[in-house]
Amino acid sequence: MKLHFEPNLDYQLQAIEAVCDLFHGQETCRTEFTVVRDAADSQMRMGFAESDLGIGNRLTLLDDELLANLHAIQLRHGLAPSPSLASGDFTVEMETGTGKTYVYLRTVFELNKRYGFTKFVIVVPSVAIKEGVYHTIETAAEHLKGLHAGVPFDYFIYDSSKLGQVRNFATSPQIQVMVMTVGAINKFGDEQQAESEEADEIARREKSKNVMYRPSEKTGGEKPIDLIRATRPILIVDEPQSVEGGLDGKGKKAMERMNPLCNLRYSATPKEAHHMVFKLDAVDAYERKLVKQIEVAAASVEGGHNKAYVRLLSVSNKRGVISARVQLDVQTATGVQRSEITVQDGDLLEMTTKRAVYHDCRVGEIRVARGDEFMELRYPGGEQYLRPGQAYGDVDPLSVQRQMIHRTIKEHLDKEKRLAPQGIKVLSLFFIDSVEKYRQYDAEGNTVKGDYARIFEEEYRRLAKHPDYQSLFKEVDLTTAAEDVHNGYFSIDKKKVGNKTVEVFKDTKGTTQADDDTYSLIMRDKEKLLSFETPLKFIFSHSALREGWDNPNVFQICALREMASEQQRRQTIGRGLRLCVNQDGERLRGFEVNTLTVIATESYEQFAENLQKEIEQDTGIRFGIVATHQFAGVSVEGPDGQPAPLGFDQSKALWEHLRSECLVDAKGKVQDALRKQLKDGTLVLPEPFAAQLPQVKEILRKLAGRLEIKNADERVQVKSRQAVLQGADFKALWDRIKHKTTYRVQFNNEALLTTCIQALKDAPPIAKTRLQWRKADLAIGRSGVDANETVTSAPVTLDEGDIELPDILTDLQDKTQLTRRSIHRILVESDRLDDFKRNPQQFIELTAEIINRSKRLALVDGIKYQRIGAEEYYAQQLFETEELSGYLKSMIDANKSVHEQVIYQSDTERTFAEQLEINESIKVYAKLPGWFRVPTPLGPYNPDWAVLVDKDGTERLYFVVETKSSLFTDDLRDKESAKIKCGDAHFAELAKGNTPPAKFIKATKLDDVLARC
């Protein structure tokens, strides 16, 4: 199987554009330097030409131009503005599973295409991510070349024993991508020590660890670091919070000594957002369905309060007070409840819990030393030292884990029945805390199944005989199948056992050299695991091996260990968040297919609450907090009549209004008064912002809510209601909307050109090139020479008379796909060619942006639909054959619908469904499923409702309804609004020949529909 890459995902293109737009106005150029060697050393020169031309990146923009570009990007994405350009670090935040690696690889090619940059170094925190990045480059290489006219590029993993690759990196005119771990950077060595070795004749001939700073015959006598410095590489730092955390003093200096042009920081959880240019956080990804729906199957022990139960959760030392957070069975007014309590040394647990079963149980020593945390529990007849996550007096843990394994297999088989016919292979992942619980070795070195492996095979065989799953096991030999479907990925060690040397699994932390082979295997088997030809479906992995397990078809995750420690939940679910793929390697979308089930030992309410805390701690997302810049990206009508962002100052004024009305507090926290106004629809904004109320309400609604995780036990299959489905009324409705269409787009070329000419005339003026002076103090000391900037002056305009004008027609043709004749007319009739002479690059970019925006607006205006034929339609039987499932909290019972329940996704949809049920003029209706799609140039469109209205018993009217919280097109996203417009054209085509036809309308409530009767 070969995974397919999707080149047109809007959020990925936005992330690429955000980084590329940082260099808006930059000339397409590069720097060249001569690579020479010491001619006296013939051995150093062997195999090399006398001199090579080195090629590097070059930045021509001034700081204030970069800062202006940065502010424009931040305004566009509604991000807090950076007060100044404090460094060359720029941050892109993208949630796990949304294609972060693919985005920065595409960005490499786009930066090369636009500005000629060729040298890139990718720095990653671990062996696992290094293997993952390299594997992605390998599999995406042809795809990336295809998108960029076959432009050649080289990529390699930095290896200190292969320094010849560094020379090629410096001298090649092609795109060069070097991948290295932070560990490799730490091993660059010490530059000062290297200079001392060079000065000493004996030391110079000896082997040195300072390979980067010493001349090498593999680089023709050059210092490898000098070659890298001269190229001014763009550093792409993957997960910088881990990279920088893993850098010691030498390593951090080594990164700085690479002399990077800039650092592009890509992270799912940035600790410090240096100059944020794009943000797609956990909540954004979830709301846009870019990752899987998360559900929790929770195992809770009830009625097991017969022993003195104590579980240690954590220990702490706050202001000198040492305490422990424990879980105890406490007597309450409603019975015994398992609760979290803070205790200290000497506490009597009988008094704490008010239960005699804890008689003579007390807390002893509490140790808070990192890596050696424990709490001593003294009880009659002895004592026990509990580590975080360990429990005393609990039910048999193996019996609980058996049930967790059973539930995981059941969830797996349920999904397999539903998804295998769609070509989707289902995988399940178990995280365990100790290898010996999965596999052991006898005295002669033979493998022996551990408890988990034994229990898994017993439960798998038991469920395989269940009547519900017989269709999955018709031709399966159950005597061997249970052994074939599971395996473990662990680090391997060779040991002498008995009379032979055997390979044994071993426990590791996931960051050592011993893990290299494990990660290689994981990445090598990624596509193999997705194929039906591979029987392996259930994977056991060590809890330490978290990174590198991002397989898109992991649908179940079972942690056979505690997830009580910080970040464990988020790291655990992160292994299964990616959207799944079918046997053709095509990614499938929608929560109806993509649901990740987490099998946990805590209630789903606790899981959701704790996961939210982890996200807040991990990502900096503040749930329920309105920031002062929150509304900066809200669309308003600008002075020229075109849409423009509200801006940071106006956003702050709007925030101040909310604060004065006590709808948010001084920190921006949403108050109950705001939640009530949003629910009741009574929120009012002052006159200057009244027109933006729908957009502001949508932003506030998202901030007022909380991350929602579904309860797996509340997921139910929705059945079709045969009486409605087979009735004449629904058949008449369905016959009017079931046919498929195709479309063609007709541009009014003259109108498009007129629009482009006028827009270019009205565009802002182009500034000339400017010069900026900067002064710095030099401090010379024993540690080296440090430069500290002291003064900067206002930029000075330069009148360049020697600018070589580029081929503007070819450039604009590449960027807009318009003909040269059309581009020529736009340029001449706009009377803006003097601006082209003043600053060619800025003028070309501005013109391309104007033309492409005008093209997008014209695309939908000229669309024409045509019915394909009598045989091409959505069959009515699909309501029975296509399964529909939902959650009890998001559905209502229905009598007039083709389904027994209606699944809703918003309050507007719920209200509309309730109105349909109680209104007597509504005979039948359907909430149109996800498989009912209308093709559009902007992607498939799925309308909301099909409705049959009986008007006074004399006339029957048919409607296709799109329900939105607002009827105003300006309040909808451009793309969504355009799709709805395409839907209107599609149903207008189907209306031909039908009497009465099915009318397509937008509505916020049923009265809007009845008003059209």
Side-chain angles (χ1 to χ4, degrees):
M1 177 195 290
K2 192 171 183 180
L3 292 177
H4 287 245
F5 295 93
E6 299 173 280
N8 297 315
L9 296 177
D10 58 352
Y11 67 93
Q12 292 184 345
L13 295 177
Q14 288 165 13
I16 295 166
E17 283 295 317
V19 172
C20 291
D21 285 353
L22 276 171
F23 305 102
H24 182 82
Q26 159 83 9
E27 300 171 15
T28 302
C29 61
R30 66 188 187 188
T31 185
E32 296 179 347
F33 55 93
T34 303
V35 178
V36 293
R37 281 149 307 289
D38 180 2
D41 192 334
S42 59
Q43 282 203 334
M44 288 286 194
R45 290 189 286 106
M46 286 180 67
F48 295 99
E50 278 302 316
S51 66
D52 287 330
L53 191 66
I55 296 169
N57 301 326
R58 181 181 166 204
L59 184 65
T60 60
L61 294 179
L62 302 174
D63 279 5
D64 67 325
E65 292 174 312
L66 271 175
L67 185 60
N69 288 343
L70 176 62
H71 282 167
I73 295 163
Q74 291 170 331
L75 181 59
R76 185 166 81 216
H77 294 294
L79 301 171
S82 301
S84 63
L85 198 65
S87 68
D89 297 305
F90 302 96
T91 301
V92 174
E93 179 179 344
M94 293 183 72
E95 172 64 348
T96 300
T98 57
K100 170 165 56 73
T101 307
Y102 175 76
V103 163
Y104 65 63
L105 292 177
R106 275 280 297 271
T107 303
V108 165
F109 282 80
E110 202 60 37
L111 287 171
N112 172 260
K113 177 183 173 184
R114 298 188 192 187
Y115 311 115
F117 297 143
T118 55
K119 304 302 162 74
F120 301 87
V121 177
I122 300 174
V123 183
V124 299
S126 68
V127 174
I129 295 180
K130 178 190 74 177
E131 293 290 344
V133 169
Y134 193 74
H135 182 77
T136 301
I137 299 176
E138 281 183 317
T139 53
E142 291 306 313
H143 166 80
L144 292 168
K145 285 182 181 178
L147 291 176
H148 295 86
V151 60
F153 79 107
D154 294 326
Y155 57 94
F156 63 97
I157 293 177
Y158 167 78
D159 185 336
S160 59
S161 66
K162 300 176 181 177
L163 291 175
Q165 292 177 318
V166 175
R167 181 184 178 86
N168 185 62
F169 176 86
T171 58
S172 172
Q174 300 173 358
I175 297 173
Q176 293 288 313
V177 179
M178 180 178 357
V179 184
M180 60 173 62
T181 63
V182 62
I185 291 177
N186 276 326
K187 292 175 184 173
F188 274 11
D190 183 273
E191 189 161 18
Q192 288 183 333
Q193 192 177 26
E195 289 173 1
S196 300
E197 290 171 354
E198 281 295 301
D200 186 318
E201 182 66 27
I202 298 174
R204 187 155 59 93
R205 297 184 180 278
E206 292 178 350
K207 193 173 181 180
S208 170
K209 291 182 180 179
N210 304 310
V211 291
M212 261 293 177
Y213 304 111
R214 293 280 304 273
S216 168
E217 62 183 58
K218 294 176 182 177
T219 55
E222 294 281 353
K223 296 178 184 178
I225 192 67
D226 286 344
L227 295 178
I228 294 176
R229 279 178 184 143
T231 66
R232 294 219 63 199
I234 292 176
L235 291 191
I236 295 173
V237 187
D238 195 327
E239 299 300 343
Q241 73 286 351
S242 299
V243 166
E244 290 162 2
L247 284 169
D248 60 20
K250 284 189 300 184
K252 199 152 193 171
K253 251 180 218 176
M255 273 185 79
E256 293 166 0
R257 285 175 178 171
M258 284 193 211
N259 190 29
L261 185 138
C262 67
N263 296 331
L264 303 179
R265 302 153 50 88
Y266 289 80
S267 176
T269 56
K271 295 291 184 190
E272 296 178 40
H274 299 279
H275 305 138
M276 182 79 75
V277 296
F278 182 78
K279 186 168 185 170
L280 180 76
D281 60 30
V283 177
D284 293 330
Y286 189 80
E287 287 179 341
R288 295 175 66 175
K289 299 185 180 180
L290 304 177
V291 293
K292 287 193 182 91
Q293 157 86 55
I294 306 164
E295 65 178 15
V296 178
S300 57
V301 179
E302 298 179 359
H305 308 302
N306 302 311
K307 293 186 283 187
Y309 169 81
V310 182
R311 180 184 296 277
L312 177 62
L313 301 177
S314 62
V315 296
S316 69
N317 182 358
K318 292 182 180 177
R319 298 191 184 94
V321 178
I322 294 176
S323 63
R325 192 77 177 161
V326 296
Q327 212 174 38
L328 304 170
D329 290 340
V330 180
Q331 184 68 49
T332 69
T334 56
V336 178
Q337 299 287 337
R338 191 154 286 181
S339 306
E340 292 185 11
I341 305 289
T342 299
V343 295
Q344 296 179 12
D345 186 354
D347 282 3
L348 297 172
L349 298 186
E350 182 178 6
M351 296 178 63
T352 304
T353 61
K354 300 182 174 62
R355 297 188 66 218
V357 74
Y358 286 92
H359 180 65
D360 272 354
C361 290
R362 70 177 63 210
V363 176
E365 180 187 357
I366 299 172
R367 183 173 294 178
V368 296
R370 186 178 293 275
D372 192 30
E373 302 95 333
F374 67 75
M375 183 191 80
E376 180 188 13
L377 176 68
R378 299 173 185 169
Y379 52 85
E383 66 278 320
Q384 188 167 332
Y385 294 90
L386 299 177
R387 299 284 184 184
Q390 291 181 341
Y392 167 80
D394 200 0
V395 294
D396 177 20
L398 213 53
S399 62
V400 174
Q401 287 158 349
R402 176 182 288 275
Q403 293 307 312
M404 293 175 73
I405 291 171
H406 176 93
R407 178 61 185 255
T408 305
I409 299 169
K410 184 180 185 304
E411 291 284 344
H412 180 108
L413 297 178
D414 285 338
K415 286 207 181 85
E416 203 169 272
K417 278 178 65 180
R418 186 160 53 87
L419 300 180
Q422 300 180 47
I424 302 168
K425 181 176 176 187
V426 178
L427 299 176
S428 295
L429 178 58
F430 293 92
F431 280 118
I432 66 175
D433 50 4
S434 173
V435 170
E436 66 176 14
K437 291 184 179 178
Y438 179 72
R439 184 165 297 170
Q440 299 174 355
Y441 301 87
D442 62 18
E444 296 179 359
N446 300 309
T447 60
V448 179
K449 292 169 187 170
D451 288 335
Y452 292 157
R454 176 180 53 78
I455 290 170
F456 173 85
E457 292 181 11
E458 291 171 359
E459 296 303 320
Y460 188 81
R461 291 191 184 100
R462 183 174 293 125
L463 279 166
K465 295 174 184 175
H466 195 282
D468 287 352
Y469 307 119
Q470 289 308 293
S471 61
L472 297 175
F473 296 96
K474 284 179 182 176
E475 300 176 5
V476 176
D477 181 2
L478 291 178
T479 58
T480 58
E483 296 181 356
D484 295 339
V485 297
H486 74 98
N487 205 350
Y489 282 99
F490 305 98
S491 293
I492 294 172
D493 203 3
K494 290 186 177 179
K495 283 188 177 181
K496 187 89 171 173
V497 180
N499 297 319
K500 57 183 178 180
T501 301
V502 295
E503 290 185 341
V504 299
F505 286 171
K506 66 173 184 176
D507 292 323
T508 61
K509 293 182 178 179
T511 55
T512 63
Q513 192 67 33
D515 294 302
D516 278 24
D517 56 347
T518 312
Y519 290 128
S520 297
L521 188 64
I522 289 168
M523 301 322 302
R524 218 171 32 237
D525 286 358
K526 187 171 184 177
E527 285 83 9
K528 185 179 171 185
L529 285 171
L530 296 170
S531 170
F532 284 138
E533 295 176 6
T534 304
L536 179 59
K537 303 173 185 177
F538 297 87
I539 301 157
F540 286 79
S541 173
H542 197 287
S543 56
L545 306 186
R546 291 185 292 269
E547 296 168 330
W549 267 113
D550 300 66
N551 193 299
N553 284 22
V554 170
F555 284 90
Q556 287 73 228
I557 291 181
C558 177
L560 296 171
R561 48 135 170 96
E562 283 301 309
M563 286 195 291
S565 64
E566 185 182 347
Q567 299 181 337
Q568 285 281 295
R569 290 168 196 78
R570 190 148 191 268
Q571 288 175 337
T572 298
I573 65 173
R575 302 311 106 219
L577 280 181
R578 294 185 187 275
L579 299 180
C580 67
V581 298
N582 60 19
Q583 292 302 288
D584 296 323
E586 298 167 340
R587 205 166 295 281
L588 303 176
R589 303 189 175 279
F591 283 169
E592 62 275 7
V593 173
N594 290 285
T595 300
L596 173 67
T597 305
V598 181
I599 290 83
T601 53
E602 59 186 339
S603 72
Y604 78 92
E605 293 95 343
Q606 287 175 318
F607 188 94
E609 183 180 341
N610 290 326
L611 177 61
Q612 178 170 311
K613 288 177 183 175
E614 287 181 18
I615 290 174
E616 287 177 328
Q617 293 168 1
D618 210 13
T619 68
I621 294 174
R622 297 184 300 163
F623 290 96
I625 301 292
V626 182
T628 56
H629 67 271
Q630 205 81 55
F631 312 107
V634 165
S635 180
V636 299
E637 187 175 310
D640 57 356
Q642 297 297 315
L646 184 63
F648 297 119
D649 293 340
Q650 289 292 87
S651 175
K652 188 169 184 181
L654 180 50
W655 185 91
E656 293 289 356
H657 164 75
L658 296 176
R659 171 78 182 94
S660 66
E661 294 293 315
C662 299
L663 300 178
V664 299
D665 66 12
K667 294 182 179 178
K669 188 172 182 180
V670 173
Q671 303 298 292
D672 287 340
L674 177 56
R675 291 191 178 94
K676 188 173 187 308
Q677 288 189 19
L678 288 171
K679 186 177 180 182
D680 299 342
T682 56
L683 179 66
V684 178
L685 298 180
E687 184 55 39
F689 307 109
Q692 283 70 51
L693 177 62
Q695 295 179 69
V696 172
K697 279 170 66 176
E698 192 61 30
I699 292 170
L700 292 174
R701 196 173 283 118
K702 287 182 180 179
L703 290 166
R706 291 183 56 174
L707 188 66
E708 183 183 349
I709 293 180
K710 309 294 188 182
N711 183 356
D713 292 329
E714 292 185 351
R715 188 181 71 225
V716 295
Q717 294 293 324
V718 179
K719 298 177 182 177
S720 58
R721 189 177 292 282
Q722 291 297 309
V724 174
L725 183 60
Q726 305 302 336
D729 286 340
F730 184 74
K731 185 177 186 305
L733 173 60
W734 192 247
D735 284 347
R736 284 165 169 77
I737 67 171
K738 68 183 181 182
H739 291 281
K740 297 181 181 180
T741 61
T742 185
Y743 66 84
R744 66 181 186 276
V745 175
Q746 294 179 330
F747 273 107
N748 183 330
N749 200 51
E750 184 59 30
L752 174 63
L753 294 181
T754 303
T755 302
C756 292
I757 290 165
Q758 190 59 46
L760 187 53
K761 278 184 178 180
D762 298 337
I766 299 291
K768 286 186 176 182
T769 307
R770 293 166 296 166
L771 175 73
Q772 184 182 42
W773 289 100
R774 301 168 70 186
K775 290 178 71 177
D777 285 338
L778 296 184
I780 302 172
R782 293 188 181 274
S783 62
V785 181
D786 291 324
N788 297 300
E789 186 172 299
T790 57
V791 178
T792 61
S793 60
V796 179
T797 300
L798 295 179
D799 192 8
E800 294 180 294
D802 58 347
I803 297 178
E804 187 175 336
L805 296 177
D807 182 349
I808 187 171
L809 292 179
T810 301
D811 271 10
L812 286 175
Q813 193 173 20
D814 288 343
K815 293 176 185 294
T816 67
Q817 284 74 53
L818 289 190
T819 64
R820 296 171 76 89
R821 182 190 296 272
S822 297
I823 295 168
H824 178 269
R825 181 180 162 191
I826 292 169
L827 294 174
V828 171
E829 294 186 20
S830 68
D831 295 322
R832 292 292 300 270
L833 282 172
D834 283 343
D835 283 348
F836 172 57
K837 297 175 190 174
R838 186 178 293 121
N839 195 321
Q841 188 68 30
Q842 277 194 19
F843 181 78
I844 288 173
E845 289 177 359
L846 176 71
T847 306
E849 183 180 350
I850 286 170
I851 293 173
N852 285 327
R853 188 194 306 133
S854 301
K855 275 174 59 183
R856 283 195 295 271
L857 294 173
L859 188 67
V860 173
D861 289 337
I863 197 163
K864 300 288 183 187
Y865 280 85
Q866 185 173 352
R867 190 183 301 196
I868 297 175
E871 301 303 316
E872 289 292 326
Y873 60 87
Y874 289 106
Q876 198 168 320
Q877 290 75 17
L878 287 170
F879 283 94
E880 298 171 86
T881 58
E882 291 286 331
E883 285 189 2
L884 184 66
S885 64
Y887 294 86
L888 293 175
K889 289 181 179 178
S890 299
M891 60 175 65
I892 62 169
D893 291 330
N895 295 312
K896 299 178 183 179
S897 170
V898 291
H899 290 109
E900 293 180 356
Q901 287 89 22
V902 172
I903 301 170
Y904 59 87
Q905 276 145 9
S906 67
D907 290 340
T908 302
E909 286 189 356
R910 179 191 174 113
T911 303
F912 192 81
E914 290 170 340
Q915 291 170 343
L916 289 171
E917 282 294 320
I918 62 175
N919 194 294
E920 292 180 352
S921 62
I922 305 300
K923 292 306 172 189
V924 295
Y925 69 92
K927 178 75 167 64
L928 293 171
W931 48 259
F932 186 89
R933 295 178 174 183
V934 176
T936 83
L938 304 170
Y941 164 60
N942 174 220
D944 290 331
W945 310 87
V947 181
L948 191 159
V949 181
D950 188 350
K951 187 179 179 183
D952 302 325
T954 60
E955 186 180 3
R956 299 208 158 192
L957 301 173
Y958 306 87
F959 295 95
V960 177
V961 184
E962 180 70 30
T963 45
K964 293 295 175 190
S965 57
S966 170
L967 294 180
F968 297 102
T969 304
D970 291 344
D971 297 335
L972 303 174
R973 291 178 186 165
D974 285 347
K975 193 171 179 181
E976 188 179 16
S977 177
K979 282 187 178 182
I980 293 172
K981 195 169 182 179
C982 292
D984 198 355
H986 163 85
F987 288 106
E989 170 64 17
L990 295 189
K992 297 174 183 176
N994 280 322
T995 307
K999 299 177 184 176
F1000 179 81
I1001 62 173
K1002 288 186 290 183
T1004 60
K1005 54 189 181 297
L1006 183 57
D1007 286 347
D1008 296 332
V1009 179
L1010 299 180
R1012 302 288 291 271
C1013 294

